[in-house]
DNA sequence: CACGTCGATGTAATCGATTCCACGAGGAGG
DNA sequence: CCTCCTCGTGGAATCGATTACATCGACGTG
C-alpha cells in the first residue's frame, strides 16, 4: 500500500508538502498541488487513518455501546446515530452489550483502547468502575436512553411520563382496573422510571400497583413470557399487562397465546417502545412511541459538541401514546393510507443545559 | 493518558522491557515483570491500540458492510458476526449501506482507510471499482449472503432452492395456481436467485411465471407495498404473493390490508427470511428460514482463516421452509411449547473449498 | 582459565502521518 | 540598495508502540 513517501517521491516534493496538500493547507503552490494530486491519482494513494490518528490524537470515531442490538428500538437508535455521525464527519463503532455488564465493560475497554473521540452509552447497569473512571479521566461521553444518576454526563432521553398517564387513562376508560407491569432491570433508569410512572398514573386514578402485579423482567422476550405466565397463574390475574419494552411484550404475547387465551378479549397488552411490527401483530399492539431517530441525532450532536469544545446539552424529548387494538376496541382501526388526516403536532423538544 | 514510557519510568525499566511484558515475551525476569505489572496497575495504563496497529500493521478489526441494518435478518447476521469475531480476538466495525451503492462505497473506503484486517461484505450491487480494486490489492474479503459473480472471493451463503421447491409444493398442494413474486434488486445475487428458484419450482409443477407476476422490489417495505398494489390491480390478480425478503412481505401485508382484503382468505403470502416477528403477525407468515447465526459465524471463520494465512472455505448452508398460516389452513397451529416434537434434523452443511 | 552460549535488558530504528522550524526567493517599502 | 515580510518548501521531531541488534553478566564446558 502506497504511503505518503511514495507520493512525495512520485510528485517530486517532500512529504510535508504532500501532507499540506492533503489537508488543504493554504500555503502550497498551485503547481505543487497539481503534481501531488496527480501522484495520488496514479498511485491510488489513500492516507493511513491509523498513522494520522496516532499523530493527531483524534480518530474521528465515536463509540456506541448499546444494550441490545437485536431490539428494534436500539437498532433504529444505532442507525440514526450512525447517520448523524456520518453527516458530522465521524464514524461509529457499535458495541453490543446484550444487557450484560461484563460485555458492556469489554466494549468500553476496547473502544477506549482504540482511542475513540467520544462514547455514547446506554448503560446496562449502574455503572462499572471502568466507565466511571473514563468519565473522570475526561473521556467525552453522553448517555442515551438510559443513564446513571449522579454521574456528570449529558443525557439524551425520552420522557414517557405523560404518555404513560395517557395510557393509563386509555386503559381506565376501557374499564380495566387490574393493571400489571413487566418491569425492566432495576439497575437501569428506564427499568425504574417506567414502573414509577405507571404507579403514579395508577394512583391518579385511585388504583394500586400491588407487588404481585410487578413482574421482574430483563428487557428480553423470554422474561416477558415467564413473568406473564406468573401473572396468569395468580388467583386474580390482571386485566392488563404493560410491558416495559417491546421484546418483553412479544414474550407476553407468546405466553398468553400458549394458554389459548386471546388479546385483548381475555387480557389486554400494551408496551413501551413502538416498532413497525406492532402494526402487524395479532392484534396490533398499543404502545408508547419514542422519537428514536431524533434521540440518536441529538445524542450525537451533544457528544460532538463536547468533543469539539462546545458545551453539550442534555435533551429530553416527549414520548407519545399510540393506541391500537391490544387493549380493547375503541380506537378506530388504523388506516395505512390516511386520506387527509390533520398533521399530527410535532413534539416540541424540552431542552436543558447540561448539568456539566 | 499514560504511555508506555511512563510505565517504563515508573517501573525503572526500558520501554522494550515493558513491551515484552505486555506481549508476554519469554525472556523477561520475574522481577522485571512484577515491577512492570505493578506500574501498569498504579498508572492505570492501557496500551494504545492505534500506535500498536501502526507498528504491527494489524488492527485486529474486521469490517462488515451490510445491506440494511434495520432488516432483522441482517441485524441477526451482524450480531453473530460480532460474537464469533470477539471469540477469535477481533472487533467488528459495521457499515450500513442501506441498499445504496454510494453508501456502500463510503463504508468500504472508510474501513480500508482504517486498515481493517479483513472485510465481510454483503454487496448491494454488482461491485464498485473500489471493491474490485481492494480484492485485487489483496485485501482479505469474504462475501456473506450475497456475492458478486466472477470475483475470486469466498462466499458464505444459504441455498434456498430446495426450500423454495418445498414452498411451491406447499402452495400447489393448497390449490394455488397463480403465484407471483416480489423480487429483490436484479443487481444482487439473492435478488436474482430467488426469482430463478421460484420460476424453476413452478415449472416443475407445469406452472408459469408471467412477467406481470414478477414485481420489481428493492428489499424495502415500501417497495413490497407498491408491487403488491400493482398485483391487486391486475385483471387476474395472483392467489399468492411470495416476497423475496421479510421487509417486502411486511409491505405486502400492508397493501393487502389497506384494500380491506384478508390473508390468506383473499390472497396468500409467503416470505424469504424468517424472523421472530413472523410468528406474531396476523396471520403468522409462512417463510423460508436461513441459518443466519451459522452463516455469520462461518463467514467470520472464513475471513479470519484468510487473514491468518489459512485457506478460507466457501460455505453453503441449506435454508428450510417454515409453514405457518399465511398461505391457507393445513398446517397444525404452531405450538410455542411443543411437548415432545421429534428433534428436527440439523441441516448438514454443504462445504466446498474456496475457489481462490 | 578461556571461550561460547544464553538470558535479560537497553538503544534505536521503524511504522505513516502532522507540524514546528529554518531557509531561500521574491516583493514591498523605506 | 537594503531590510523585512511573506510564501513555498524541505528537514526533522514527534505520536506510542514493536522489535532487530548490541551489550553484558553469568554459567557451563573442555
Amino acid at each position: 500500500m502506497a504511503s505518503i513517501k511514495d507520493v512525495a517521491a512520485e510528485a517530486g516534493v517532500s512529504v510535508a508538502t504532500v501532507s499540506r496538500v492533503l489537508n488543504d493547507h493554504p500555503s502550497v503552490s498551485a503547481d505543487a498541488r497539481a503534481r501531488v494530486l496527480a501522484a495520488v491519482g496514479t498511485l491510488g494513494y489513500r492516507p493511513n487513518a491509523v498513522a494520522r490518528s496516532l499523530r493527531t490524537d483524534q480518530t474521528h470515531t465515536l463509540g456506541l455501546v448499546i444494550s441490545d442490538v437485536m431490539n428494534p428500538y436500539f437498532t433504529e437508535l444505532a442507525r440514526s446515530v450512525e447517520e448523524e455521525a456520518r453527516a458530522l464527519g465521524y464514524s461509529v463503532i457499535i458495541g453490543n452489550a446484550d444487557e450484560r455488564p461484563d460485555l458492556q465493560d469489554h466494549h468500553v475497554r476496547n473502544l477506549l483502547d482504540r482511542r475513540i473521540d467520544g462514547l455514547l452509552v446506554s448503560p446496562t447497569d449502574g455503572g462499572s468502575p471502568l466507565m466511571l473512571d473514563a468519565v473522570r479521566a475526561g473521556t467525552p461521553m453522553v448517555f442515551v436512553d438510559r443513564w446513571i444518576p449522579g454521574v456528570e454526563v449529558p443525557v439524551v432521553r425520552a420522557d414517557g411520563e405523560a404518555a404513560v398517564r395517557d395510557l393509563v387513562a386509555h386503559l381506565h376508560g376501557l374499564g380495566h382496573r387490574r393493571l400489571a407491569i413487566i418491569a425492566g432491570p432495576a439497575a437501569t433508569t428506564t427499568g425504574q422510571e417506567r414502573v414509577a410512572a405507571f404507579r403514579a398514573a395508577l394512583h391518579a386514578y385511585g388504583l394500586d400497583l400491588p407487588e404481585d402485579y410487578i413482574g421482574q423482567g430483563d428487557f428480553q422476550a423470554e422474561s416477558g413470557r415467564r413473568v406473564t405466565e406468573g401473572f396468569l397463574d395468580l388467583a386474580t390475574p390482571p386485566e392488563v399487562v404493560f410491558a416495559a419494552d417491546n421484546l418483553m411484550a412479544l414474550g407476553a404475547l407468546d405466553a398468553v397465546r400458549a394458554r389459548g387465551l386471546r388479546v385483548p378479549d381475555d387480557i389486554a397488552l400494551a408496551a413501551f417502545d413502538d416498532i413497525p411490527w406492532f402494526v402487524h401483530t395479532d392484534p396490533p399492539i398499543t404502545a408508547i412511541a419514542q422519537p428514536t431517530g431524533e434521540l440518536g441525532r441529538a445524542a450525537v450532536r451533544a457528544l460532538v459538541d463536547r468533543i469539539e469544545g462546545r458545551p453539550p446539552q442534555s435533551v429530553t424529548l416527549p414520548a407519545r401514546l399510540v393506541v391500537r387494538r391490544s387493549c380493547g376496541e375503541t380506537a378506530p382501526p388504523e388506516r395505512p393510507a390516511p386520506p387527509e388526516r390533520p398533521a399530527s403536532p410535532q413534539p416540541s423538544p424540552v431542552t436543558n443545559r447540561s448539568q456539566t
Side-chain angles (χ1 to χ4, degrees), chain A residues 213-297:
Chain A
Y213 277 15
I214 307 179
Q216 194 53 56
D218 60 5
F219 285 143
Q220 302 288 327
E222 180 47 38
S223 72
R225 184 193 326 253
R226 181 174 36 75
V227 168
T228 304
E229 274 165 8
F231 286 157
L232 295 175
D233 286 338
L234 253 30
T236 54
E239 296 157 333
V240 182
V241 172
F242 174 41
D245 90 334
N246 60 63
L247 295 182
M248 295 193 298
L250 201 64
L253 199 55
D254 268 358
V256 169
R257 206 158 294 166
R259 298 263 174 138
L261 301 176
R262 284 175 318 163
V263 175
D265 313 73
D266 298 309
I267 189 163
L269 181 63
F272 210 105
D273 289 344
D274 191 22
I275 54 174
W277 301 98
F278 276 172
V279 178
H280 298 283
T281 50
D282 175 26
I285 296 178
T286 292
I288 291 174
Q290 299 194 44
T292 319
E294 191 43 50
L295 286 175
R297 286 187 288 275

Side-chain angles (χ1 to χ4, degrees), chain A residues 3-340:
Chain A
S3 85
I4 196 171
K5 266 185 226 160
D6 304 315
V7 176
E10 173 83 13
V13 297
S14 72
V15 294
T17 299
V18 176
S19 177
R20 282 192 269 264
V21 171
L22 264 33
N23 298 284
D24 41 38
H25 184 90
S27 109
V28 182
S29 69
D31 176 55
R33 161 164 288 118
R35 292 221 308 287
V36 167
L37 260 23
V40 165
T42 67
L43 294 176
Y45 168 78
R46 295 249 78 215
N48 184 329
V50 175
R52 189 196 297 250
S53 292
L54 175 61
R55 185 59 235 253
T56 61
D57 203 37
Q58 17 173 328
T59 48
H60 273 276
T61 303
L62 270 27
L64 170 63
V65 180
I66 232 170
S67 325
D68 178 11
V69 249
M70 296 293 285
N71 184 325
Y73 167 72
F74 284 112
T75 310
E76 191 180 344
L77 190 69
R79 179 209 163 105
S80 63
V81 162
E82 195 274 337
E83 269 177 10
E84 183 74 5
R86 179 153 36 82
L88 297 176
Y90 287 80
S91 305
V92 177
I93 304 184
I94 302 173
N96 175 29
D98 242 337
E99 304 286 1
R100 283 169 43 192
D102 61 317
L103 252 187
Q104 171 176 278
D105 258 25
H106 164 87
H107 284 118
V108 169
R109 190 170 357 249
N110 181 8
L111 292 166
L112 256 24
D113 285 356
R114 299 180 116 75
R115 302 300 194 264
I116 44 120
D117 292 342
L119 203 50
L120 236 37
V121 184
S122 158
T124 284
D125 61 358
S128 60
L130 176 66
M131 208 146 66
L132 272 15
D133 282 354
V135 175
R136 214 170 305 123
T139 310
M141 200 180 292
V142 165
F143 289 140
V144 56
D145 183 54
R146 313 177 182 174
W147 85 99
I148 302 179
V151 180
E152 293 284 314
V153 161
V155 179
V156 174
R157 55 184 280 264
D159 180 2
E161 226 182 299
V164 169
R165 256 196 319 271
D166 291 347
L167 172 64
V168 170
H170 168 65
L171 295 169
H172 191 270
L174 288 167
H176 298 306
R177 292 299 177 272
R178 298 197 309 276
L179 318 189
I181 185 168
I182 310 176
T188 63
T189 47
T190 48
Q192 295 173 350
E193 287 171 349
R194 290 170 192 178
V195 175
F198 193 56
R199 175 181 283 123
L202 289 182
H203 275 270
Y205 281 88
L207 298 176
D208 219 33
L209 183 59
E211 268 310 308
D212 42 348
Y213 277 15
I214 307 179
Q216 194 53 56
D218 60 5
F219 285 143
Q220 302 288 327
E222 180 47 38
S223 72
R225 184 193 326 253
R226 181 174 36 75
V227 168
T228 304
E229 274 165 8
F231 286 157
L232 295 175
D233 286 338
L234 253 30
T236 54
E239 296 157 333
V240 182
V241 172
F242 174 41
D245 90 334
N246 60 63
L247 295 182
M248 295 193 298
L250 201 64
L253 199 55
D254 268 358
V256 169
R257 206 158 294 166
R259 298 263 174 138
L261 301 176
R262 284 175 318 163
V263 175
D265 313 73
D266 298 309
I267 189 163
L269 181 63
F272 210 105
D273 289 344
D274 191 22
I275 54 174
W277 301 98
F278 276 172
V279 178
H280 298 283
T281 50
D282 175 26
I285 296 178
T286 292
I288 291 174
Q290 299 194 44
T292 319
E294 191 43 50
L295 286 175
R297 286 187 288 275
V300 169
R301 282 193 297 265
L303 184 56
V304 171
D305 279 346
R306 168 77 175 72
I307 290 171
E308 299 181 352
R310 297 181 294 273
Q313 305 200 322
S314 283
V315 176
T316 302
L317 300 171
R320 69 176 214 290
L321 177 66
V322 177
V323 174
R324 298 203 181 88
R325 294 208 313 275
S326 64
C327 299
E329 280 292 357
T330 46
E334 215 159 317
R335 279 167 300 175
E340 35 187 346

